Structures are given as C-alpha cells and as structure tokens.
C-alpha cells in the first residue's frame, strides 16, 4: 500500500517532509538563539548583543514563515485533483448515456451509418483521450518499474473482464430479464472496455519503461515536449504504420456468413476481391476481424444497416429495402483488432496533453500547446475527409477520424480548462466532476443498464409493467404527447440528472468505484 501511495503521489510527499524538517530545524535555531541571548545578556548587560540578537531573530523568523507558507502550498497541491479532467470524463459519460438511450429516437445524434461524424461518434475517442491524460498524471513518477508494470497488467485484466461480461453478450440488461451467452457466438471485442484495455496497456507500458529517459525540465520551445517524449510518439507512429499499410495493401477476398433467424439459417456470400477499399463490405478492417475472431464472434447489428443502400428509412433504423445487398445483413465489428491498433494513436495524443499539463505551469503556455495541436488535428481530419483521401469513419477508425475527434477532444478539454481552472467557474460543472470521479460506477450501473435491470426484475403481471417503464411512459411520454421528446426528457432527467445526484452523494461520502 505504501508503494502504491508513492506511485500516485510521486515525490510530493518527500518535498513535504523536507519542508517540515526545515521548519523544525528553524524552530530549534530560534530556541537555541534565545537561550544564548539570555546568557550573553547576563554577562555583557545585553546592550549590543541584544540588538544583534534581535536582528538575527527577525531573519530566522522570516525563514520560518517562508517554510510554513511552502508547507501550506504543498499540502494543498497534494490533495488537489485535476478538476478539468474529472469534468471532461463526466461529460463523456453523459454523452454516452444520451446517445445510447436517446439515439434510437433521434438518429441524427446516433452513430453515423458509415462515413461522417455525429455526436455519438465522439464518445469512444474522448474516452481514449482521457485515458492518455490520466496515464501521464498517474505515471509522472515511477519509483519501481516492476511494480508499475504489475499494476498496469492487473488493471488491463480487470478492464477486459468487465468489458466481456457487459458487452460480450452475457448481460441482456436492461430490457431482457435473462443472462447468459452461447460461447460459439460470444463477442470478444467491445464498445469501450476491451478497446480501452488495449490502448491503456500499450500506452501505459511505454510511459512506464521510458521513465528514466525523460527530462525533469523542458524548454519552452514548441517542439521540446515532443522531443522529450519521443518514444511515446514512436509507439503512436508504429500503430499508424501498421494500420495504414494493412488497410491499403491487404487483399480482401469474397466471404460468406450464415444468418440465423426464426425461419432457420441461410448462407450469404459477399463479393469482394479488392484492396484499399473503404466501403462497408470489403474493407481490410472487417477482413482482419473475420480471420482473427471468426465471423460468428462479431457484432451482429452494425450501424451500416441504416444506410440508404439497405433501408428506405435511412438514416433511421427500418426494414431492409427490396434488393438490398447481402452485406446489409452481415456482422461487422466496429471495435475490432486493426481499428483498435490505430486507436492507440488517440491515447498517444491524450498522453501528450497530460505531459503538457505536467511540464508547463503557466495557463497561457498550456493553452498555446493544447489549442495549436487541437486545431491542427481538426484541420487535417477535415482536409482528408473532404478531399476523399481518407473519409472520417468511426466504424473503420480511420486516420482522419482520429485526427478530427482527437482535435475536438483537445479543444473541448482546453475550453473546460479555461472555464474551470483559469476563470474559476467550477460550480456549474460540479455534477460533471462528480460523475467523472465515479465514472466506472455510472458506466456499469447507468450506461450499461444494470441498475434499471434490477428494477425491471420487479414487475406487475407482465415484464413490461415495471417501475422504469411506468415512469418513462406516464411521467414523460404521455405528458408531452411525444415518444421522441418524452424519451429525450426521460434520458436527461431520469438517467443523467439522477446519476449526477447519486455521484454527488457518493462523493460527499467519499465512496468511489475504481479499477
């Protein structure tokens, strides 16, 4: 436990001890000086000596006061959390709940069916950006590399466990009162936890193993921060090369899948035979996942079913149009292996922002670094997309998507920093801080519907007559005479606001769920 405390606090505790020892030393000097003064006053009458001693006492008192002030500052810094990071994490959780539970009613905020970027498409890269910033802060001092590696691996395993349990098909919350999954069809990849686990593992290990190679002081130059942490960028560039080379050079052959429904099972074939394709059916991202995981272990309800080629209800969900291509029914993993490799770059950009936060102490210096990089990435993503070089695509986790969403994350993070840390407007964002400090609890119980599933288990006559359904129907939908608006208001007040209050209460009680 002592080593864990040191890992999180770095050398801050040592600095406090030095200052406390200095304070004690100064106190001893004052005491000794007063004793000497009494003796000398008795011998010499205390005229000249008393004046000299008073001057010395004033100097010592000034040193003592300065030491006390430094101790106070250190103690305050020691207990201070990064409020901007908590608020940004809370915002991302809120966005996830909003788009997951209201996206079905408002397709414009739901995931883009293929190319493009909607509100829902920012959730994943925002989380990875947060992971990077948090790693930089947590591993800014690594006294023992072996202990740090052990802690990183253990946390990765925990993330994988929760991801497969909640998103692999075992949990049917909150609507279905059942659990269990056929291991022949379990989904190994996941919306958040599995991808976060991979990105966290790689980025954190690079940070831990390069701790002795990083300087303690960095020049104020624009490129100095990149040079100081070149190995982190080497890791991100390696992920970029693997993704780009595989995407453009891998040959994608024809492939087939079996669709199981109430009428039985049918086999369908998708014609490909090409390279470097960014369409839904024949891209390298899907081919890698079919070869590694197997077609039966991929996500069975991909968002491309809302494309115009598949349904007349596009961009909303609807029945397949007559003559729709076979791939409209096929599975596709939006959080697969190849796309997760490029997601490492999102974590690398996040850890860069954390390094800036650590090494640059002035607000203007930090914001200059953050905003210049954020707007630069945003512009690169937009140019790549509108020139049709590399479209912005969340399902493929394309390079333009990484740039666009990471740039947006950096700008939003900078905006929160200005409002909360520079201008001091912290109170309006407290509920986001509370959610961000208990993000794992809100994610599992709220976003994954475990809390709602518990109450759905207590029904009256039929499973659709539960407290949750009654509140949604009678308090929101019937009152506003609109299913779309009622659903949106239910999500805002009965879910987001509710979990904000719960997180606030738990914060006051000092209760947090962390991995």
């Amino acid at each position: 436990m002592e080593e864990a405390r040191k890992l999180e606090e770095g050398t801050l505790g040592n600095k406090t001890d030095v200052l406390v020892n200095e304070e004690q030393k100064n106190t001893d000097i004052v005491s000794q000086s007063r004793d000497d003064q009494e003796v000398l006053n008795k011998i010499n009458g205390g005229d000249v000596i008393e004046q000299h001693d008073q001057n010395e006492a004033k100097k010592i008192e000034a040193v003592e006061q300065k030491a006390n002030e430094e101790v106070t500052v250190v103690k305050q810094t020691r207990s201070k959390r990064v409020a901007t990071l908590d608020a940004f994490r809370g915002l991302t959780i809120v966005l996830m709940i909003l788009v997951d539970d209201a996206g079905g009613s408002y397709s414009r905020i739901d995931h883009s069916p293929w190319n493009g970027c909607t509100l829902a498409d920012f959730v994943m890269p925002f989380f990875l950006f947060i992971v990077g910033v948090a790693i930089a802060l947590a591993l800014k001092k690594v006294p023992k590399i072996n202990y740090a590696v052990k802690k990183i691996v253990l946390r990765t395993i925990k993330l994988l466990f929760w991801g497969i349990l909640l998103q692999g098909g075992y949990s049917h919350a909150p609507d279905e009162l059942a659990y269990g999954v056929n291991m022949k069809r379990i989904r190994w990849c996941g919306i958040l936890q599995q991808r976060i686990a991979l990105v966290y593992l790689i980025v954190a290990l690079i940070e831990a193993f390069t701790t002795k190679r990083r300087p303690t002081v960095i020049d104020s130059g624009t490129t100095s921060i990149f040079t100081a942490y070149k190995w982190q960028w080497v890791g991100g560039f390696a992920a970029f090369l693997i993704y780009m080379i595989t995407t453009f050079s891998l040959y994608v052959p024809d492939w087939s899948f079996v669709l199981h429904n109430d009428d039985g099972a049918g086999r369908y074939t998708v014609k490909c035979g090409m390279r470097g394709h960014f369409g839904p059916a024949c891209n390298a991202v899907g081919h890698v996942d079919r070869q590694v995981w197997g077609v039966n272990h991929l996500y069975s309800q991909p968002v491309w079913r809302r494309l115009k080629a598949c349904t007349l209800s596009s961009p909303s969900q609807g029945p397949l149009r007559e003559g729709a291509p076979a791939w409209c029914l096929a599975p596709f993993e939006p959080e697969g292996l190849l796309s997760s490799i490029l997601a490492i770059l999102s974590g690398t950009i996040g850890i860069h922002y954390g390094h800036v936060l650590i090494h640059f102490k002035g607000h203007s210096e930090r914001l200059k670094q953050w905003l210049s990089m954020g707007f630069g990435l945003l512009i690169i993503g937009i140019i790549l997309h509108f020139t049709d070089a590399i479209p912005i695509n969340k399902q493929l986790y394309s390079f333009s998507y990484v740039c666009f969403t990471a740039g947006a994350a950096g700008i939003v993070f900078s905006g929160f920093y200005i409002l909360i840390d520079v201008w001091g407007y912290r109170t309006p964002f407290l509920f986001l801080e509370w959610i961000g400090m208990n993000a794992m609890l809100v994610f599992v119980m709220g976003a994954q519907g475990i809390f709602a599933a518990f109450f759905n288990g207590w029904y009256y006559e039929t499973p659709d007559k539960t407290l949750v359904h009654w509140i949604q129907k009678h308090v929101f939908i019937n009152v506003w005479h609109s299913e779309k608006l009622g659903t949106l208001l239910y999500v805002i007040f009965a879910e987001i606001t509710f979990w904000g209050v719960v997180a606030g209460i738990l914060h006051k009680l000092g209760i947090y769920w962390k991995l």
Side-chain angles (χ1 to χ4, degrees):
M1 293 300 293
E2 180 65 16
E3 291 179 346
R5 182 185 66 80
K6 291 180 179 179
L7 180 61
E8 294 179 354
E9 297 178 358
T11 60
L12 195 57
N14 294 335
K15 184 176 180 182
T16 305
D17 294 338
V18 170
L19 293 173
V20 171
N21 291 336
E22 185 66 25
E23 178 185 9
Q24 182 62 44
K25 180 180 178 181
N26 293 333
T27 303
D28 294 338
I29 293 172
V30 172
S31 178
Q32 181 63 37
S33 179
R34 287 171 180 169
D35 293 339
D36 293 341
Q37 177 186 354
E38 293 177 1
V39 174
L40 292 172
N41 284 343
K42 290 179 181 180
I43 297 174
N44 300 316
D47 295 331
V48 178
I49 302 299
E50 182 178 3
Q51 180 65 32
H52 175 75
D53 189 69
Q54 287 176 353
N55 293 334
E56 291 297 321
K58 289 180 180 180
K59 293 180 181 179
I60 295 171
E61 183 179 357
V63 173
E64 182 179 356
Q65 183 178 0
K66 182 179 179 180
N68 288 333
E69 291 175 353
E70 290 179 349
V71 170
T72 303
V73 171
V74 171
K75 287 182 178 179
Q76 290 174 351
T77 306
R78 184 177 180 179
S79 61
K80 183 180 179 181
R81 291 177 62 92
V82 182
T84 297
L85 183 60
D86 285 329
F88 188 62
R89 186 187 294 111
L91 173 67
T92 307
I93 291 286
V94 166
L95 283 180
M96 180 174 60
I97 296 175
L98 177 66
V99 299
D100 282 354
D101 296 343
S105 300
Y106 294 87
S107 58
R108 296 297 180 181
I109 67 172
D110 201 356
H111 290 290
S112 175
W114 197 243
N115 292 338
C117 192
T118 62
L119 190 62
D121 295 326
F122 287 102
V123 173
M124 169 66 75
F126 276 22
F127 268 118
L128 298 178
F129 178 89
I130 293 166
V131 167
V133 177
I135 289 173
L137 298 177
L139 299 180
K140 60 183 177 181
K141 297 293 182 182
V142 184
K144 294 185 178 180
I145 295 179
N146 292 337
Y147 175 78
V149 171
K150 180 181 177 181
K151 187 176 179 180
I152 291 168
V153 172
L154 181 61
R155 192 178 189 193
T156 301
I157 294 173
K158 290 179 181 179
L159 287 169
L160 286 172
F161 169 77
W162 281 105
I164 294 175
L165 179 67
L166 296 172
Q167 300 159 355
Y170 181 85
S171 172
H172 300 265
D175 297 324
E176 296 183 30
L177 301 180
Y179 65 90
V181 61
N182 182 356
M183 292 301 294
K184 292 180 66 176
R185 308 187 66 81
I186 189 173
R187 183 186 177 200
W188 295 114
C189 301
I191 298 172
L192 290 174
Q193 303 291 57
Q194 293 92 314
R195 174 167 284 177
I196 286 180
L198 175 63
V199 173
Y200 170 79
L201 177 66
I202 301 300
V203 176
L205 285 179
I206 294 175
E207 185 79 356
F209 281 119
T210 59
T211 182
K212 295 182 179 180
R213 297 176 179 269
R214 56 180 97 147
T216 56
V217 179
I218 293 179
D219 297 334
S220 58
T222 305
T223 61
S224 60
I225 188 73
F226 294 93
T227 305
Y229 290 95
K230 59 180 179 295
W231 290 108
Q232 283 76 357
W233 286 106
V234 167
F237 184 69
F240 166 78
L241 286 180
I242 292 172
Y243 178 89
M244 297 299 288
I245 292 173
T246 306
T247 297
F248 284 98
S249 64
L250 186 64
Y251 177 78
V252 181
D254 298 344
W255 58 282
S256 61
F257 63 96
V258 176
L259 182 66
H260 300 271
N261 50 43
D262 296 336
D263 299 329
R267 178 172 290 276
Y268 300 84
T269 300
V270 180
K271 297 291 184 179
C272 289
M274 60 184 70
R275 290 184 175 87
H277 188 60
F278 288 101
C282 302
N283 54 77
V285 172
H287 178 64
V288 169
D289 290 328
R290 290 190 293 271
Q291 298 301 311
V292 174
W293 312 115
V295 71
N296 291 330
H297 296 282
L298 308 182
Y299 185 52
S300 60
Q301 300 291 327
V303 295
W304 68 32
R305 294 189 177 190
R306 295 192 281 111
L307 285 169
K308 290 182 179 179
C310 298
T311 178
L312 295 175
S313 303
S314 180
S316 301
Q317 189 77 30
L320 290 180
R321 65 189 303 168
E322 185 178 353
W327 54 261
C328 290
L329 299 169
F332 178 80
E333 184 52 68
E335 279 76 41
L337 180 60
L338 185 59
S339 55
S340 293
I341 289 176
L342 189 58
I344 295 172
L345 186 57
S346 294
T348 302
I349 296 171
I351 205 170
H352 172 78
Y353 274 70
H355 292 154
V356 171
L357 184 64
I358 292 171
H359 290 285
F360 295 92
K361 303 306 179 183
H363 294 319
S364 59
E365 292 178 310
R366 291 172 174 174
L367 290 170
K368 180 182 177 181
Q369 292 277 344
W370 288 342
L371 289 174
S372 60
M373 186 173 191
F375 281 109
L377 289 170
L378 203 69
I379 292 171
I380 292 173
I382 292 173
I383 292 174
L384 290 174
H385 178 75
F386 286 101
T387 57
D388 292 327
I390 302 176
I392 294 175
N393 190 295
K394 187 265 179 188
Q395 311 303 313
L396 299 177
Y397 216 92
S398 62
F399 177 64
S400 58
Y401 173 75
V402 172
C403 293
F404 184 76
T405 54
I411 293 171
V412 174
F413 184 80
S414 301
F416 269 26
Y417 182 80
I418 293 172
L419 291 171
I420 296 174
D421 288 289
V422 179
W423 292 349
Y425 295 132
R426 187 172 180 179
T427 302
F429 304 99
L430 277 178
F431 83 101
L432 292 179
E433 282 190 50
W434 296 336
I435 293 176
M437 287 187 284
N438 240 320
M440 186 64 187
L441 174 70
V442 179
F443 171 76
V444 173
M445 303 301 291
Q448 294 299 306
I450 301 302
F451 185 76
F454 172 79
F455 283 97
N456 283 342
W458 306 87
Y459 59 87
Y460 182 75
E461 292 181 345
T462 59
D464 61 334
K465 295 181 178 180
T466 67
L467 178 62
V468 174
H469 292 147
W470 186 91
I471 292 174
Q472 186 173 5
K473 180 178 180 181
H474 294 281
V475 178
F476 293 96
I477 295 177
N478 289 351
V479 170
W480 293 95
H481 304 288
S482 171
E483 184 173 355
K484 292 180 64 175
L485 180 58
T487 300
L488 177 62
L489 293 176
Y490 170 80
V491 173
I492 292 174
F493 291 102
E495 293 187 12
I496 295 174
T497 304
F498 171 79
W499 285 110
V501 173
V502 171
I505 295 172
L506 293 177
H507 171 62
K508 295 299 182 182
L509 297 175
I511 300 174
Y512 308 98
W513 182 7
K514 298 180 180 180
L515 292 182

